[in-house]
Amino acid sequence: MKPVLCLGDICADLIIPYAAALKAKAGDPMSAVDADVKPVEGGSVANTACALARLKMPVLFCGTCGLDAYGQMLKSGLAREGVDTSLLRMEPDRPTQLVLLVLNEQGDRTAFACPAHLGSQHAIVPEQIPDDITDRIGWLHVTGMMLREDPAASTQLELMRRCRDSKIPVSFDINVRVEALRNPVFFENLQKARMLSDYILGSSLDEIPMLMGEHDAETAARRLASDGATVVSRSGDQGAVAYRGEARIHAPAFPVPVKDTVGAGDTFDGAFIAAIRSGKPLSDALREANAAAAICVSRFGGRAAPTRAELEAFLSSRV
């Protein structure tokens, strides 16, 4: 099987347990244990690449980071998971992107990119993409994260066009971050990307309605699917709904104790792609993706995706 090419962001996440820190400050001794800040391997697309690798899918990652300690940590982390890093570029003159993830009491996170603009993850250049890439891959996965700044935005859109022309499936996670919301170029690029995608994934709460200029998630998803893509609307503990043409398929979530939600959508994407690539029907792909996301949120960190054995055991226990 040809690999999935995951093109996009890779960064060092600094997880800030804000709620735990407040409890520790108020004198709760148990919270002090959970109030440490430490760098971990992150990046939405890099997380998805690792999720795919754990599910025994061949994966190729393309992105940029700095040639520094964080960058070395990130490259080693991908390699350790079995991800092909031959298209990862490490820049000697640009520090690795940091993302501050602030966690509330429910484990939900708010992300802040540092720097907010011109970070290393947006430095993906056309020269990183081999001329024969469409002969080498069987799927392309990208996100909206890269669409707010060049050269990454132009590089990604051009590769999406090449894959569309070569009939290589393209999955696109809308993945909007706060620093992009007032960028008109970003919204123009989002519209270009959605027309080049076979699978569009995003949050039913804000991303899919935002993309279509709608207030209602159901209306937005149906309109989006009318353009020909399969649309997957994620709703956390409400599960996920897929729209393909006139069809609507809902898969309920698996209730689990939540430790944090970092990487849940990335893990969902990886399991969904793996299932579709394995020839499974859309309903099964949704169920497996929900299960993988449930396992992820029951653990700490964005790289908490399950292995194939863990995913199968989880599903078997919930028949």
Side-chain angles (χ1 to χ4, degrees), residues 178-198:
V178 291
E179 61 268 16
L181 292 179
R182 295 187 179 181
N183 184 342
V185 173
F186 171 70
F187 284 95
E188 291 176 12
N189 287 339
L190 278 180
Q191 300 307 319
K192 294 175 184 177
R194 75 178 178 88
M195 299 305 296
L196 295 169
S197 302
D198 300 286

Side-chain angles (χ1 to χ4, degrees), residues 1 44 69 76-77 93 95 100 105 119 126 155 162 179 190 194 204 227-228 232 238 248 255 257 297 299 304 306:
M1 181 183 292
S44 177
S76 296
D93 300 322
L100 310 182
E105 290 184 351
T155 302
R162 289 175 63 186
E179 61 268 16
L190 278 180
R194 75 178 178 88
S204 65
D227 290 330
V232 178
Q238 300 302 306
R248 180 185 189 277
V297 301
R299 302 169 173 175

Side-chain angles (χ1 to χ4, degrees), residues 24 36 64 166 274:
D36 291 337
T64 59
S166 299

Side-chain angles (χ1 to χ4, degrees), residues 151-207:
S154 297
T155 302
Q156 175 174 307
L157 288 170
E158 178 57 28
L159 181 57
M160 293 175 76
R161 292 187 189 97
R162 289 175 63 186
C163 287
R164 169 57 63 94
D165 292 344
S166 299
K167 302 188 185 308
I168 294 170
V170 176
S171 54
F172 171 57
D173 190 318
I174 302 167
N175 206 338
V176 177
R177 295 293 171 87
V178 291
E179 61 268 16
L181 292 179
R182 295 187 179 181
N183 184 342
V185 173
F186 171 70
F187 284 95
E188 291 176 12
N189 287 339
L190 278 180
Q191 300 307 319
K192 294 175 184 177
R194 75 178 178 88
M195 299 305 296
L196 295 169
S197 302
D198 300 286
Y199 296 85
I200 301 174
L201 306 99
S203 164
S204 65
L205 180 63
D206 46 17
E207 293 175 340

Side-chain angles (χ1 to χ4, degrees), residues 254-278:
F254 294 90
V256 294
V258 176
K259 290 188 175 178
D260 78 52
T261 61
V262 178
D266 310 330
T267 297
F268 181 104
D269 291 354
F272 179 83
I273 294 167
I276 294 294
R277 290 224 72 204
S278 298

Side-chain angles (χ1 to χ4, degrees), residues 25 49 94 107 152 154 197 202 206 210 224 230 232 241 249 266 295 306:
K25 191 174 180 180
R94 192 189 300 251
S154 297
S197 302
D206 46 17
M210 176 277 300
L224 191 53
T230 297
V232 178
V241 181
I249 302 170
D266 310 330
I295 294 170

